[in-house]
């Protein structure tokens, strides 16, 4: 066919010139097609001889073809998009494709890319494979989207507490650019900006206009539910169109009906567990989603872990109750949804599977997508670190062993007993005796490993601990004895696995048509896989020198154990964690997706630099794809409504008397404020000391003191919110996620700058990795991480524009150390008082009660 039916005139001339410049030999080029279906731009990648040319066909995202003679066309494909067609010439003028041409065209066609062959004069063209025409993308109009949030706008009219927020509109415009330009975006939006609506409005409109699915990921189920139940319906109403959104939680939040039936069939469960199972079974008959949060009571952890859905326990097509499966029903719902609301762990599970070979075109954990919004993005590194870490504990091993086989008096129970019985073998036969012996050896090996591990961590039964222990070459003499215990545990686990798999093979022919036996065998295989994973972690510890990219560490734990009572003694968790999570995130998240929009109230350090966060989460590794960024300040009146108070006469944390000062200061500040205070600590030991000093005195004043650890987090927060004069003493997790507006919270006390303990094994390894590169671990890691957490703590105070209160920082380093200025510069502009504590106390009381 004629070449002018496939090439614009300018591009035909450009290709002809390239062939001529190559001496009339073969050239290989990429082509991009315009709205009329003509190749409008080309990029020559290789030049060959008269008979062949290298087919350098791999496209690297972010590379752009050089500008052609064509004018800019707003409807053309973005320059960062993959090519539409591969082009090469046959100098002979004979355009029939060779076998190699056909192979390359077939591979290209799998990606929707066409293949053309032309003559040297670009007069004729042979179409080997038609390119898949790119769907025309409708760009969003930022002014139209913003209008919904302006006075009288469709969204503004539906928001009961609407007020004009210029920073919110600026954020909307940045998010719109992220969609329109297929860009990566980092946006810091201060408290009160209204970031949820700022990204939901563009997301809903883009999904509706272009038929694309958008994934919205958050760090907490609370925010997931707010988005799904309140914000998205409101935005859809304002858009005047329906949009299907689906809330997807981690799989463990949903009931597995098959596992519930199995659990109810076990005869040796405790009475209270049987009662819970009965109530759950009644609920399941009419449950809509099967989500644990829909239950009218909170099931015990042991019961729910026995009946919840888990990926490696899913029988898929073989499941006897597949048609009633809650997870499968959810996936069907998600298949045609345009908005998926997920949490970070679920997103990372999907990304990891795609990165490991599942691909990006089909459904894996989630349906396919190319655009992602990540809210609470400051938690990305920690969430990814947790997801990609591997760990085991003695209690976890015992739990799997108990599922396989357990004996109480003369009664044998467990999956292996059920398997032997179904296979018409004597439940007390040789195989079960062999399994029982191996299980006892595994338990003994795990006990011995824990005894050695507890000694390494400076403790033992009835003793305290010095903390975690990390395997490093400099401490090899101390932990070498562990290796024989790891090897022994791995050996016995392997022996049990071999024996049980032999038994499974012998029973393979019996499972056809026997749903109970098939379910039992599936559960056994899953337990073996989990025990195999423990063996793999043992191998990693033994070969730790060969794995410099990973951290191997031990952490002592103490708490209530499982039904066997093992938890009455302390135990060790053995963990393997990646040193650097950024490359995995860049490869799995930022590289393959067209738009990734990350937002949080705390992404920058100092004067608005995203460098630390972008480096830690992989955004700065995104090659030639530069990211868009912006800081959008809170509209709240911090300059008149917030007092930042620092006592200049406080001892520094490393000086004698510091904890005594904290105990005194927290008590007196809380008393001056009349309660309504949140005291945040960096260690539980310091928290306990301050609480013990304050509780009695404040109680006499009618002020209730609540302490983290005395109740679960949700009930503790509920009690704090209900009692407006209470004081909550809390640590780590309470530095973020506490929303206490109004008079419930007038005083936030940050007792110490939240530097992570240098003994933290992962933190220590990451610092060492920076030092090896000639960088400062303090300036590049410790300081910026602490600043971001400090900003989170500060942000607990102002939750509404009408709020008013004091943030007291009891760590003098913020005004006495040079780096303290970075903490202060990272905060909004407030009123300040840096002076002696007695004056500060009077200033606090005056600010709260006299200056209103």
């Amino acid at each position: 066919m004629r070449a002018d039916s496939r090439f614009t005139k300018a591009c035909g001339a450009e290709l002809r010139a390239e062939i001529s410049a190559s001496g009339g030999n073969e050239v290989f080029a990429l082509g991009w097609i315009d709205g009329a279906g003509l190749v409008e731009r080309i990029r020559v990648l290789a030049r060959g001889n008269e008979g062949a040319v290298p087919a350098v066909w791999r496209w690297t995202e972010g590379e752009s073809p050089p500008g052609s003679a064509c004018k800019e066309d707003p409807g053309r494909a973005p320059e960062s998009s993959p090519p539409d067609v591969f082009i090469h010439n046959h100098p002979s003028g004979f355009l029939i494709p060779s076998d190699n041409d056909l192979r390359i065209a077939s591979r290209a066609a799998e990606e929707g890319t066409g293949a053309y062959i032309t003559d040297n004069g670009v007069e004729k063209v042979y179409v080997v494979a038609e390119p898949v025409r790119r769907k025309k993308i409708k760009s969003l109009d930022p002014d139209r989207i913003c209008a919904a949030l302006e006075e009288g706008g469709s969204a503004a009219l539906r928001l009961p507490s609407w007020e004009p927020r210029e920073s919110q509109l600026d954020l909307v415009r940045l998010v719109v650019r992220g969609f329109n330009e297929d860009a990566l975006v980092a946006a810091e939006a201060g408290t009160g900006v209204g970031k949820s609506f700022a990204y939901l409005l563009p997301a809903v409109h883009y999904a509706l206009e272009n038929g694309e699915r958008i994934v919205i990921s958050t760090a907490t189920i609370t925010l997931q539910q707010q988005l799904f139940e309140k914000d998205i319906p409101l935005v859809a109403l304002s858009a005047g169109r329906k949009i299907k959104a689906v809330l997807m939680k981690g799989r463990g939040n949903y009931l597995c009906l098959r596992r519930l039936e199995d659990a109810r069939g076990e005869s040796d469960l405790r009475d209270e567990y049987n009662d819970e199972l009965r109530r759950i079974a009644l609920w399941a008959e009419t449950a809509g989603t099967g989500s644990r949060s829909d239950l009218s009571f909170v099931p015990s952890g042991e019961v729910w872990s026995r009946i919840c859905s888990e990926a490696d326990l899913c029988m898929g097509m073989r499941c006897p109750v597949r048609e009633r499966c809650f997870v499968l029903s959810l996936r069907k719902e998600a298949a045609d949804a345009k908005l998926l609301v997920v949490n970070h762990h679920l997103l990372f599970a999907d990304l990891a599977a795609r990165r490991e070979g599942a691909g990006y075109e089909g459904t894996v954990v989630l349906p396919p997508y190319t655009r992602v919004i990540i809210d609470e993005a400051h938690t990305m590194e920690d969430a990814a670190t947790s997801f990609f870490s591997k760990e085991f504990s003695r209690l976890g091993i015992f739990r799997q062993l108990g599922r396989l086989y357990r004996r109480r008096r003369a009664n044998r129970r467990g999956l292996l007993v059920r398997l032997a019985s179904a296979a018409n073998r004597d439940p007390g036969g040789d195989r079960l005796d062999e399994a029982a012996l191996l299980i006892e050896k595994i338990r003994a090996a795990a006990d011995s490993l824990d005894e050695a591990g507890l000694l390494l961590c400076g403790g033992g039964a009835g003793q305290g601990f010095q903390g975690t222990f990390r395997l490093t070459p400099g401490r090899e003499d101390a932990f070498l004895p562990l290796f024989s215990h790891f090897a022994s545990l791995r050996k016995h686990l392997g022996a049990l696995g071999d024996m049980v798999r032999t038994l499974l093979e012998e029973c393979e022919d019996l499972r056809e048509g026997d749903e109970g036996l098939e379910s039992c065998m599936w559960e056994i295989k899953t337990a073996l896989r989990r025990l195999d994973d423990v063996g793999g972690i043992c191998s990693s510890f033994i070969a730790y020198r060969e794995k410099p990219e990973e951290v191997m560490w031990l952490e002592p734990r103490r708490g209530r154990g499982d039904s066997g009572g093992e938890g009455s003694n302390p135990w060790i968790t053995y963990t393997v964690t990646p040193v650097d999570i950024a490359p995995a995130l860049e490869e799995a998240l930022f590289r393959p997706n067209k738009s990734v929009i990350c937002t949080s109230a705390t992404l920058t350090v100092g004067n608005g630099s995203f460098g630390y966060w972008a480096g830690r989460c992989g955004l700065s590794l995104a090659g030639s794809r530069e990211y868009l960024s912006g800081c959008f300040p809170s509209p709240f009146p911090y300059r008149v409504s917030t007092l930042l108070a620092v006592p200049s006469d406080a001892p520094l944390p490393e000086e004698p008397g510091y904890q005594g000062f904290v105990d005194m200061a927290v008590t007196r500040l809380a008393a001056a404020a009349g309660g309504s205070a949140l005291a945040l600590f960096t260690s539980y030991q310091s928290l306990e000391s301050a609480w013990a000093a304050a509780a009695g005195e404040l109680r006499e004043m009618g002020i209730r003191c609540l302490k983290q650890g005395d109740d679960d987090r949700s009930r503790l927060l509920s009690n704090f919110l209900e009692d407006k004069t209470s004081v909550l003493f809390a640590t780590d997790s309470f530095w973020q996620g506490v929303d206490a507006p109004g008079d419930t919270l007038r005083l936030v006390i940050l007792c110490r700058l939240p530097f992570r303990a240098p003994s933290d094994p992962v933190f220590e390894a990451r610092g060492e990795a920076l030092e090896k590169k000639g960088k400062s671990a303090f300036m590049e890691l410790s300081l910026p991480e602490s600043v971001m957490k400090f900003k989170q703590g500060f942000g607990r105070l102002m939750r509404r524009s009408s709020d008013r209160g004091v943030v007291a920082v009891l760590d003098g380093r913020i005004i006495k150390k040079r780096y303290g200025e970075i903490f202060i510069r990272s905060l909004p502009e407030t009123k300040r008082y840096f002076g002696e504590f007695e004056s500060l106390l009077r200033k606090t009381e005056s600010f709260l009660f006299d200056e209103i």
Side-chain angles (χ1 to χ4, degrees):
M1 69 178 62
R2 290 167 55 91
D4 59 10
S5 68
R6 294 286 173 159
F7 293 87
T8 64
K9 183 176 181 180
C11 284
E14 184 179 349
L15 179 58
R16 190 162 47 248
E18 288 283 0
I19 295 170
S20 177
S22 300
N25 291 307
E26 287 198 29
V27 300
F28 178 81
L30 308 179
W32 282 263
I33 290 175
D34 64 13
L38 302 179
V39 177
E40 64 164 350
R41 302 193 312 284
I42 63 168
R43 180 177 183 179
V44 174
L45 291 187
R47 298 167 180 82
N49 54 34
E50 284 189 13
V53 63
V56 187
W57 68 280
R58 183 176 178 83
W59 170 75
T60 302
E61 188 169 2
E63 287 193 359
S64 304
S68 70
C70 307
K71 293 182 179 180
E72 289 287 335
D73 176 3
R76 75 181 189 181
E79 290 192 340
S80 61
S81 62
D84 297 299
V85 63
F86 296 159
I87 307 163
H88 76 287
N89 61 304
H90 281 183
S92 65
F94 183 68
L95 305 187
I96 301 302
S98 66
D99 289 345
N100 280 336
D101 292 338
L102 291 174
R103 277 194 291 272
I104 292 168
S106 295
R107 292 175 66 190
E110 292 175 359
E111 304 295 328
T113 306
Y116 295 173
I117 302 173
T118 183
D119 59 350
N120 281 13
V122 196
E123 296 176 348
K124 297 179 293 179
V125 64
Y126 187 97
V127 178
V128 184
E130 290 283 0
V132 175
R133 293 292 296 274
R134 183 181 290 108
K135 181 176 64 176
K136 188 174 181 180
I137 297 296
K138 296 180 181 179
S139 295
L140 298 178
D141 180 350
D143 292 335
R144 177 174 165 238
I145 304 296
C146 285
L149 286 169
E150 292 173 341
E151 187 171 4
S154 57
L157 291 172
R158 291 174 168 83
L159 288 169
S161 57
W162 176 87
E163 55 188 38
R165 303 173 184 177
E166 193 60 39
S167 53
Q168 184 182 48
L169 300 180
D170 291 340
L171 177 55
V172 169
R173 292 185 176 92
L174 181 65
V175 174
V176 167
R177 284 188 63 193
F179 285 122
N180 286 348
E181 300 174 23
D182 290 349
L184 307 177
V185 175
E188 180 176 87
T191 307
V193 166
K195 59 181 168 59
S196 297
F197 288 100
Y199 63 68
L200 283 177
L201 273 164
V204 166
H205 281 278
Y206 196 90
L208 289 171
E209 292 293 333
N210 296 294
E212 291 195 27
R213 178 180 294 110
I214 298 172
V215 173
I216 302 170
S217 181
T218 77
T220 61
I221 289 179
T222 301
L223 182 53
Q224 272 188 279
Q225 291 174 328
Q226 176 190 315
L227 293 173
F228 179 72
E229 296 170 4
K230 297 179 180 179
D231 297 350
I232 291 175
L234 191 151
V235 170
L237 278 174
S238 74
R241 295 171 65 182
K242 292 183 178 180
I243 185 167
K244 185 172 182 179
V246 171
L247 171 66
M248 299 185 74
K249 305 173 188 176
R251 189 169 191 141
N253 287 281
Y254 299 95
L255 174 68
C256 173
L257 293 171
R258 178 187 65 80
R259 299 190 73 207
L260 174 63
E261 288 182 11
D262 285 351
R264 296 194 75 197
E266 295 183 7
S267 60
D268 63 339
L269 291 175
R270 298 178 184 177
D271 290 342
E272 64 267 28
Y273 291 166
N274 279 318
D275 181 60
E276 283 191 39
L277 290 172
R278 181 188 58 78
R279 295 174 66 189
I280 292 171
L282 284 173
W283 165 77
E285 293 176 2
T286 56
T289 65
S291 173
R292 176 174 53 179
S293 62
D294 293 342
L295 278 165
S296 60
F297 68 99
V298 179
S300 64
E302 183 169 347
V303 167
W304 188 256
S305 67
R306 179 66 187 83
I307 60 176
C308 69
S309 177
E310 297 188 54
D312 59 353
L313 283 166
C314 178
M315 295 179 67
M317 295 295 292
R318 295 180 175 180
C319 180
V321 290
R322 181 175 180 272
E323 293 189 359
R324 294 189 290 135
C325 175
F326 292 117
V327 171
L328 186 59
S329 176
L330 178 67
R331 288 187 170 180
K332 288 180 180 177
E333 283 294 304
D336 62 346
K338 294 307 176 190
L339 295 181
L340 296 181
V341 183
V342 306
N343 59 32
H344 294 345
H345 193 275
L346 194 64
L347 175 64
F348 292 146
D350 183 77
L351 293 173
R354 295 182 188 280
R355 175 175 173 251
E356 290 167 8
Y360 291 85
E361 293 76 31
T363 296
V364 185
V365 178
L366 304 175
Y369 53 90
T370 58
R371 302 187 191 275
V372 183
I373 296 171
I374 299 182
D375 202 342
E376 300 174 309
H378 64 282
T379 65
M380 278 177 63
E381 185 187 16
D382 284 346
T385 297
S386 174
F387 179 81
F388 289 106
S389 293
K390 298 171 288 187
E391 68 177 36
F392 77 86
S393 71
R394 175 169 54 92
L395 295 188
I397 294 173
F398 289 179
R399 196 168 293 119
Q400 296 306 316
L401 296 178
R403 294 283 298 125
L404 292 173
Y405 177 87
R406 57 192 180 275
R407 184 168 188 164
R408 288 183 179 171
R409 300 183 181 90
N411 295 321
R412 296 184 180 215
R413 295 286 185 267
L415 295 167
L416 293 181
V417 178
R418 291 165 60 188
L419 180 66
S421 177
N424 295 316
R425 296 177 183 273
D426 177 9
D430 293 341
R431 288 296 181 86
L432 285 181
D433 289 339
E434 184 183 352
L437 180 61
L438 285 170
I439 285 172
E440 284 307 309
K441 288 181 177 180
I442 293 170
R443 294 174 72 95
D447 283 335
S448 297
L449 176 62
D450 257 20
E451 288 175 12
L454 289 166
L455 288 174
L456 272 183
C457 294
Q463 300 180 30
F465 300 106
Q466 295 174 4
T468 58
F469 185 95
R470 174 183 162 218
L471 273 63
T472 59
R475 309 172 78 182
E476 205 162 84
D477 289 344
F479 63 75
L480 273 178
L482 278 181
F483 288 2
S484 62
H485 296 297
F486 280 123
S488 175
L489 178 58
R490 180 179 61 181
K491 173 186 171 183
H492 295 312
L493 287 169
L496 178 67
D498 291 342
M499 190 277 288
V500 174
R501 287 187 176 94
T502 299
L503 182 58
L504 287 169
E505 289 172 7
E506 294 173 1
C507 298
E508 189 66 28
D509 294 339
L510 303 174
R511 67 181 177 87
E512 192 67 35
D514 188 335
E515 293 179 351
L517 179 58
E518 184 160 14
S519 177
C520 174
M521 292 174 69
W522 195 277
E523 294 262 346
I524 290 171
K525 290 175 182 178
T526 300
L528 292 182
R529 281 195 298 271
R530 293 180 180 183
L531 292 173
D532 286 344
D533 289 342
V534 172
I537 296 172
C538 290
S539 296
S540 293
F541 270 85
I542 293 170
Y544 86 99
R545 278 186 171 273
E546 301 169 15
K547 299 177 178 289
E549 73 284 358
E550 293 179 324
V551 191
M552 321 287 174
W553 51 289
L554 288 65
E555 182 177 13
R557 302 280 180 87
R558 190 190 297 276
R560 187 177 66 85
D562 61 9
S563 58
E566 293 90 351
S568 57
N569 293 321
W571 69 92
I572 294 288
T573 299
Y574 305 87
T575 307
V576 178
T577 299
V579 173
D580 188 0
I581 211 72
L585 285 176
E586 187 278 327
E587 182 183 347
L589 174 63
F590 295 114
R591 189 186 305 175
N593 287 296
K594 294 177 182 177
S595 301
V596 181
I597 295 161
C598 302
T599 183
S600 168
T602 52
L603 293 182
T604 67
V605 174
N607 293 323
S609 170
F610 288 90
Y612 167 73
W613 172 82
R616 301 306 307 174
C617 72
L619 182 58
S620 62
L621 302 179
S624 57
R625 291 185 73 184
E626 294 186 6
Y627 63 89
L628 308 174
S629 64
C631 292
F632 305 91
S634 169
F636 291 168
Y638 284 97
R639 281 183 287 186
V640 296
S641 297
T642 301
L643 173 67
L644 177 64
V646 182
S648 58
D649 53 349
L652 296 181
E654 64 273 14
E655 293 177 348
Y658 170 71
Q659 185 59 50
F661 175 82
V662 169
D663 295 349
M664 177 275 298
V666 169
T667 303
R668 297 185 66 187
L669 282 166
S676 305
L678 172 64
L680 293 172
F681 300 82
T682 58
S683 77
Y684 198 75
Q685 183 179 10
S686 179
L687 181 156
E688 284 276 15
S689 176
W691 181 86
E697 185 173 336
L698 294 178
R699 191 182 303 115
E700 292 179 0
M701 302 173 64
I703 297 173
R704 182 184 180 192
C705 290
L706 303 169
K707 174 166 61 74
Q708 183 179 350
D710 287 350
D711 208 338
D712 69 49
R713 191 178 193 275
S714 60
R715 280 195 292 267
L716 202 61
L717 276 176
S718 178
N719 290 335
F720 177 61
L721 293 173
E722 289 172 4
D723 187 345
K724 292 187 177 182
T725 62
S726 62
V727 179
L728 175 56
F729 291 70
T731 184
D732 198 35
S733 64
F734 285 80
W735 284 72
Q736 56 186 335
V738 176
D739 190 4
D743 290 339
T744 300
L745 184 58
R746 295 191 298 262
L747 172 66
V748 173
I749 306 172
L750 306 180
C751 296
R752 188 167 181 163
L753 298 180
F755 287 103
R756 194 183 298 232
S759 58
D760 179 288
V762 178
F763 186 78
E764 182 182 49
R766 288 173 173 170
E768 289 171 2
L770 288 169
E771 298 284 355
K772 287 178 182 177
K773 296 177 182 178
K775 299 180 179 179
S776 165
F778 180 76
M779 296 302 296
E780 300 279 343
L781 179 63
S782 182
L783 179 61
E785 183 193 61
S786 179
V787 170
M788 287 181 64
K789 189 168 183 178
F790 178 78
K791 290 170 67 176
Q792 283 286 332
F794 176 90
R796 296 314 93 210
L797 181 67
M798 292 282 289
R799 308 307 297 173
R800 303 288 186 273
S801 60
S802 58
D803 288 351
R804 178 183 178 86
V806 175
V807 177
V809 182
L810 305 184
D811 189 336
R813 291 177 295 181
I814 197 170
I815 56 175
K816 295 177 181 177
K817 300 289 186 179
R818 290 179 61 184
Y819 60 75
E821 183 60 28
I822 298 175
F823 286 89
I824 295 173
R825 286 205 313 268
S826 297
L827 299 178
E829 186 178 346
T830 66
K831 288 190 173 185
R832 297 180 187 175
Y833 183 80
F834 302 162
E836 293 182 351
F837 179 75
E838 293 298 332
S839 299
L840 180 149
L841 200 62
R842 292 191 294 272
K843 186 67 176 177
T844 296
E845 194 167 6
S846 171
F847 183 82
L848 290 176
F849 301 109
D850 298 339
E851 298 182 18
I852 299 176

